[in-house]
């Protein structure tokens, strides 16, 4: 009859029964065969048997009185159709992979076991809640291998929600019959390698030292693989003997096991009916679909960096988890992963993001932090920049008594710098910031922290643009009568404007949530992480634009018909922009280093510091001509101060009186006075309103 069944099935199948010794098939009726799927090929080989698709219609009516719909289930024989596979020969990877590919998310496995407790009699059933892996490591036990590392939580190896449903179903009257058969709703199963039974010494050790409840040869790695496959998995253990420890009972043998197993088989089939009926209820739909395990392996499998993944391992996992490990999909830890770890009793604050380098001790309790460096640099440079801006505004409002567009750009730049520093400080106050990567945990990160960091990254470009715009507009104000200069200025404004304003779009375009993901999910995708390459592009643009701003005024300044000293004095004011070029060069180098570093949470502090220095130095350079105006306006007081310093210096160095016959040419007073005169000459290249008035011929 089975040969006449279809070899394919297109309907949804969320529930699977894995039959062990004594449960090689399900009877018809009450289970109606629908299809027999030939063992489907998987990247891990063929499963141990064809997969039977059966339909079961519960005989009882629900509360509303309407007939229940048929429930489709899949059945797979663990040891093969003819029980030809030894425990260590079972293709567990292929079994679980084939069921998941079919759509199964809920697995109830049956297994014959030996009892290690007096109270668990032969023919009793145990729904175990813990497992001890006593196999020898010869069985493949993970899907994450060969170039893709993944770690999943296994604190509770059997799904607690599913096991409660299974226990309640089997515990109903009439399910377990014969010789006072009982259900034990919890217990620990120890899984040995087999295929031999235990020695008496081993059996006593498992019972007295490890405190196991029952013993079998099939719980591992089946349970581990089901967890990796994001399945709700429960195991029903059917006791057949007292293993080898019980001195008043005969030693376990195949004949004894099979004798009790025949009786257990009847109860097992009734148990499958009761379990299927319970799982078919609407209130258990989320558990049947394993919603609480959904996408867990997506985070677990993302630990291997893209460049370290082997093509074969990636191909296998993409087969098992379509869409999980695509180039543009999420590959890092997520809020959902955090919630799942917490649901399993795993504290995410105890899971570090990386292992420390050799010889370095991990410190999650009181780790070193560089956050204070951001505070110090921000305070010092912001104070300097505000001071320069105050002097600039004083020069424009009280000395020159005029305002120009470059002033408004400078003010916008200052506001942007304050906003950027505020966002950087907010980002650095997050628990995981400023520490070594191996001293931070999954629990240190949140959506809010990443969004703050992303906003800071987005506004960086516009802030830098306003700083540079202040200089471009200053050039336009000073040298606007030169046509070639106007062309150069507007060219610079256009190119830098288009590039830096795009900074508002690029980070959000690359990292915005999509496909139901959160901001934090996206933070570890290759797509979002490529924004770090855009950071290098920003560094290159900073360097090019700074040198551009440094060079373009030189021809205009050299054409001034001034005494050579005065001319170079005016040029010197504009050459302070060379400092901005130095800072940009260092910043670009640090960006490149940061993109290659593993310890990103520690080294990002250096990057933050350099961007803060870069912004502030740029704005201070834009204020230098106004500083020169103020200094020129107050040459009188400065001269008096210089004279006072000169007098004090002379009194300290002249001894008890002036030396006669000594020429004053080389005296400190003469030297300081001559320096002051030269200083005044340097200021004379700028008129009382702080402007350079250019006329044809280059005369001032």
């Amino acid at each position: 009859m089975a040969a006449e069944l279809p070899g394919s099935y297109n309907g949804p199948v969320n529930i699977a029964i894995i039959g062990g010794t004594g449960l090689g098939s399900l009877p018809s009726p009450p289970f109606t065969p629908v299809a027999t799927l030939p063992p489907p090929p998987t990247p891990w080989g063929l499963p141990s048997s064809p997969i039977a698709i059966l339909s079961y219609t519960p005989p009882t009516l629900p509360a509303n009185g309407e007939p229940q719909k048929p429930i489709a289930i899949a059945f797979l024989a663990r040891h093969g159709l003819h029980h030809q596979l030894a425990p260590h020969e079972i293709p567990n990877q292929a079994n679980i992979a084939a069921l998941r590919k079919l759509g199964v998310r809920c697995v109830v496995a049956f297994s014959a076991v030996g009892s290690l407790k007096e109270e668990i009699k032969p023919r009793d059933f145990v729904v175990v809640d813990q497992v001890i892996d006593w196999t020898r490591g010869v069985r493949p036990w993970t899907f994450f291998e060969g170039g893709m590392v993944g770690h999943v939580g296994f604190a509770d190896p059997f799904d607690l929600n599913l096991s409660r449903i299974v226990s309640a179903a089997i515990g109903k009257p009439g399910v377990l019959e014969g010789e006072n058969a009982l259900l034990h709703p919890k217990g620990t199963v120890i899984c040995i390698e087999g295929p031999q039974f235990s020695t008496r010494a081993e059996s006593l050790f498992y019972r007295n030292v490890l405190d196991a409840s029952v013993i079998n040869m099939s719980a591992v790695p089946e349970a581990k693989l089901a967890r990796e496959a994001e399945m709700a998995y429960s195991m029903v253990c059917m006791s057949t003997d007292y293993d080898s420890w019980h001195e008043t009972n005969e030693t376990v043998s195949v004949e004894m096991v099979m004798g009790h197993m025949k009786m257990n088989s009847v109860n097992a089939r009734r148990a499958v009916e009761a379990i299927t009926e319970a799982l078919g209820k609407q209130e258990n739909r989320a558990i049947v679909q394993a919603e609480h395990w959904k996408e867990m392996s997506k985070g677990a499998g993302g630990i291997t960096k893209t460049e370290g993944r082997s093509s074969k391992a990636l191909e296998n996992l993409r087969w098992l988890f379509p869409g999980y490990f695509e180039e543009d999909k999420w590959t890092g830890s997520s809020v959902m992963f955090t919630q799942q770890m917490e649901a399993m009793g795993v504290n995410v604050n105890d899971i570090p993001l990386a292992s420390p380098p050799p010889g370095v001790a991990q410190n999650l309790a009181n780790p070193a932090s560089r956050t204070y460096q951001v505070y110090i640099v921000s305070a010092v440079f912001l104070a300097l920049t505000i001071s320069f801006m105050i002097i600039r505004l004083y020069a424009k409002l009280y000395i020159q008594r005029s305002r120009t567009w470059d002033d408004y750009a400078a003010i916008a730049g200052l506001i942007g710098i304050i906003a950027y520093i505020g966002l950087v400080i907010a980002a650095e106050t997050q628990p995981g910031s400023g520490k070594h990567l191996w001293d931070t945990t999954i629990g240190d990160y949140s959506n809010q922290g990443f969004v703050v960091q992303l906003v800071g990254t987005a506004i960086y470009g516009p802030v830098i643009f306003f700083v540079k715009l202040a200089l471009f507009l200053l050039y336009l104000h000073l040298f606007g009568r030169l046509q070639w200069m106007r062309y150069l200025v507007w060219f610079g404004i256009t190119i830098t404007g288009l590039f830096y304003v795009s900074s508002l779009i690029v980070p959000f375009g690359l990292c915005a949530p999509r496909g139901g993901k959160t901001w934090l999910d996206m933070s570890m995708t290759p797509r979002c992480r490529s924004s770090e390459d855009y950071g290098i592009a920003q560094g290159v643009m900073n360097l090019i634009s700074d040198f551009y701003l440094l060079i373009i005024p030189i021809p205009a300044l050299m054409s001034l018909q001034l005494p050579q000293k005065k001319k170079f004095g005016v040029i010197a004011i504009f050459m302070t922009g060379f400092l901005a070029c130095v800072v940009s060069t260092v910043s670009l180098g640090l960006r490149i280093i940061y993109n290659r570093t593993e310890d990103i949470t520690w080294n990002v502090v250096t990057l933050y510091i350099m961007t803060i220095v870069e912004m502030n130095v740029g704005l201070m350079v834009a204020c230098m001509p106004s500083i020169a105006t103020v200094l020129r306006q107050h040459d009188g007081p400065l001269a008096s101060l210089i004279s006072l310093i000169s007098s004090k210096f002379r009194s300290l160095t002249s001894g008890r009186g002036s030396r006669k016959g000594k020429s004053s040419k080389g005296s400190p007073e003469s030297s300081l006075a001559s320096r002051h005169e030269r200083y005044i000459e340097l200021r004379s290249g700028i008129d009382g309103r702080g402007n350079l008035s250019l006329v044809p011929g280059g005369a001032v």
Side-chain angles (χ1 to χ4, degrees):
M1 180 176 179
E4 300 173 359
L5 294 173
S8 62
Y9 182 75
N10 297 324
V13 183
N14 296 135
I15 304 169
I17 304 296
I18 295 180
T21 303
L23 187 64
S25 62
L26 294 177
S28 173
F31 295 93
T32 303
V34 175
T36 300
L37 311 183
T42 76
W44 298 273
L46 297 176
S48 54
S49 77
I51 299 176
I53 307 298
L54 305 108
S55 176
Y56 176 76
T57 302
T60 59
L61 295 177
N64 58 15
E66 296 181 2
Q68 293 197 38
K69 295 180 180 179
I71 304 168
I73 66 170
F75 182 87
L76 184 144
R78 181 187 292 119
H79 294 280
L81 290 179
H82 309 290
H83 205 287
Q84 70 272 22
L85 299 173
H88 64 282
E89 296 176 322
I90 297 170
N92 289 287
Q93 290 169 306
N95 287 350
I96 297 298
L99 291 175
R100 177 179 169 86
K101 196 70 172 179
L102 185 61
V104 170
R105 296 295 182 270
C106 174
V107 175
V108 179
F110 284 76
S111 172
V113 300
S115 171
L116 298 173
K117 300 289 184 183
E118 187 79 44
E119 62 271 20
I120 301 177
K121 308 181 304 297
R123 304 185 186 181
D124 281 1
F125 278 31
V126 184
V127 180
V128 290
D129 62 335
Q130 282 295 327
V131 64
I132 298 173
D133 184 358
W134 212 255
T135 59
R136 296 292 181 263
V138 299
R139 310 178 185 187
W141 62 85
T142 181
F143 293 114
F144 295 97
E145 58 184 351
M148 279 284 284
V149 177
H151 303 288
V152 299
F154 203 59
D156 294 303
F158 304 101
D159 190 283
L160 299 180
N161 296 318
L162 177 59
S163 293
R164 279 193 288 268
I165 297 172
V166 170
S167 295
I170 299 177
K172 288 182 176 181
V175 175
L176 298 184
E177 295 182 352
E179 296 190 19
N180 298 317
L182 297 176
L183 169 70
H184 302 269
K186 61 188 307 183
T188 298
V189 57
I190 182 168
C191 183
I192 63 173
E193 186 63 50
Q196 299 82 9
F197 294 119
S198 305
T199 66
R200 194 179 308 279
E202 289 172 335
S203 186
L204 288 168
F205 176 76
Y206 302 149
R207 164 183 162 81
N208 297 327
V209 179
L210 299 183
D211 195 30
S213 306
V214 292
I215 181 171
N216 77 356
M217 305 174 189
S218 56
V220 177
E222 193 173 87
K224 293 183 177 182
L225 293 165
R227 177 59 52 84
E228 287 187 346
E230 301 174 350
M231 291 175 169
Y233 178 89
S234 180
M235 174 167 276
V236 179
C237 295
M238 303 173 289
S239 176
T240 61
D241 56 82
Y242 277 118
D243 200 45
S244 305
W245 65 271
H246 208 297
E247 296 181 357
T248 61
N249 280 271
E250 59 181 306
T251 304
V252 61
S253 65
V254 174
E255 291 78 11
M256 178 192 299
V257 170
M258 296 308 297
H260 289 302
M261 197 66 253
K262 288 180 180 179
M263 296 300 299
N264 283 345
S265 296
V266 177
N267 285 340
R269 291 184 174 97
R270 281 199 293 263
V272 174
E273 289 184 56
I275 292 168
T276 304
E277 181 176 354
L279 294 177
K281 295 180 179 179
Q282 183 64 31
E283 61 263 29
N284 295 326
R285 182 177 178 82
I287 296 172
V288 168
Q289 294 183 345
E291 293 288 344
H292 51 300
W293 297 120
K294 188 177 181 181
E295 298 188 346
M296 178 194 63
S297 287
K298 182 183 288 188
I303 194 170
T304 301
K305 291 186 175 181
T306 304
E307 54 270 23
R309 299 172 179 176
S310 76
S311 58
K312 180 61 176 176
L314 198 57
E315 179 184 352
N316 292 350
L317 288 172
R318 284 175 176 170
W319 184 93
L320 187 63
F321 304 107
Y324 273 22
F325 304 106
E326 302 300 328
E327 193 64 25
D328 192 37
K329 300 295 182 181
W330 173 60
T331 57
S333 61
S334 70
V335 173
M336 182 175 292
F337 176 71
T338 300
Q339 292 172 343
Q340 290 165 347
M341 292 296 101
E342 291 174 345
M344 291 186 290
V346 179
N347 189 347
V348 293
N349 291 315
D350 295 332
I351 306 176
L353 286 178
S355 300
V360 177
Q362 193 170 65
N363 184 2
L364 297 178
N366 187 27
S369 175
R370 298 181 60 196
T371 300
Y372 72 94
Q373 297 176 8
V374 174
Y375 300 157
I376 293 173
V377 172
S378 298
V380 170
F381 276 86
L382 189 57
L384 286 172
T385 303
I386 291 175
S387 300
F388 272 60
M389 280 298 297
I390 290 173
I391 295 173
R392 178 191 181 108
L393 294 176
Y394 171 76
K396 290 301 185 81
L397 297 176
Y398 295 100
I399 298 176
Q400 301 174 13
R401 298 186 183 278
S402 67
R403 295 182 299 275
T404 50
W405 285 107
D406 56 300
D407 299 320
Y408 296 114
I411 293 171
L414 177 61
I415 294 172
I417 289 173
I418 294 172
Y420 178 79
I421 290 176
L423 288 168
V424 168
I425 291 175
E428 283 300 294
T429 56
Q430 299 297 315
S433 299
K435 309 175 201 173
H436 289 293
L437 190 63
W438 51 86
D439 289 337
T440 61
T441 67
I442 294 175
D444 288 336
Y445 291 90
S446 65
N447 267 329
Q448 179 183 359
F450 177 67
V451 171
V452 169
Q453 183 180 353
L454 194 65
V455 172
T457 303
I459 71 167
Y460 168 82
V463 173
I464 286 288
F465 171 66
F466 278 115
V467 171
K468 297 182 187 299
L469 181 63
L471 279 169
F472 277 124
L473 294 178
L474 174 65
Y475 292 171
L476 199 61
H477 173 64
L478 296 177
F479 310 113
R481 296 184 182 181
L482 298 175
Q483 186 179 30
W484 61 269
M485 190 64 170
R486 290 199 303 272
Y487 289 156
L488 290 177
V489 167
W490 283 113
F491 174 78
I493 291 174
T494 302
I495 297 300
T496 56
L498 290 174
F499 180 84
Y500 286 118
V501 171
S502 69
S503 297
L504 283 170
I505 303 171
V506 172
F508 288 102
L510 294 175
C511 301
R514 51 179 58 84
K517 305 300 182 289
T518 66
W519 290 97
L520 190 60
D521 295 340
M522 295 300 299
S523 68
M524 295 302 292
T525 61
R527 179 189 181 96
C528 185
R529 288 161 63 183
S530 66
S531 62
E532 296 173 3
D533 297 328
Y534 184 75
I536 293 179
Q538 282 183 325
V540 172
M541 175 57 78
N542 291 347
L543 185 60
I544 293 174
S545 58
D546 282 342
F547 272 103
Y548 186 79
L549 284 164
L550 179 70
I551 293 171
I552 61 173
I554 293 177
L557 294 172
M558 292 299 294
S559 68
L560 297 177
Q561 293 187 0
L562 289 172
Q564 201 69 8
K565 290 182 179 180
K566 294 181 181 180
K567 182 181 296 186
F568 283 110
V570 174
I571 293 175
I573 297 172
F574 289 87
M575 288 301 101
T576 54
F578 183 73
L579 178 61
C581 296
V582 172
V583 173
S584 295
T585 303
V586 175
S587 178
L588 175 58
L590 291 174
R591 288 172 188 267
I592 295 173
I593 293 172
Y594 174 77
N595 273 29
R596 297 176 179 176
T597 187
E598 297 289 336
D599 196 6
I600 56 175
T601 50
W602 181 266
N603 291 316
V604 74
V605 174
T606 304
L607 201 59
Y608 279 148
I609 288 173
M610 284 310 303
T611 55
I612 291 170
V613 171
E614 198 172 23
M615 291 177 174
N616 284 277
V617 168
L619 193 54
M620 285 189 278
V621 168
C623 293
M624 287 306 297
S626 295
I627 301 279
T629 300
V630 173
L631 291 176
R632 181 180 181 277
Q633 179 72 16
H634 295 281
D635 272 341
L638 286 173
S640 300
L641 179 61
I642 292 173
S643 297
L644 177 62
I645 295 172
S646 174
S647 175
K648 294 294 184 182
F649 183 79
R650 181 167 57 85
S651 65
L652 291 173
T653 57
S654 62
R656 296 181 178 179
S658 60
R659 299 179 182 177
K660 294 181 181 181
K662 185 80 172 178
S663 170
S664 63
K665 183 177 180 180
S667 67
E669 180 181 4
S670 172
S671 176
L672 287 171
S674 63
R675 292 177 190 173
H676 176 58
E677 290 172 1
R678 291 198 298 274
Y679 178 80
I680 294 175
E681 287 179 351
L682 294 180
R683 305 279 70 77
S684 62
I686 302 177
D687 64 23
R689 296 180 61 82
N691 300 326
L692 288 173
S693 299
L694 299 182
V695 296
V700 179

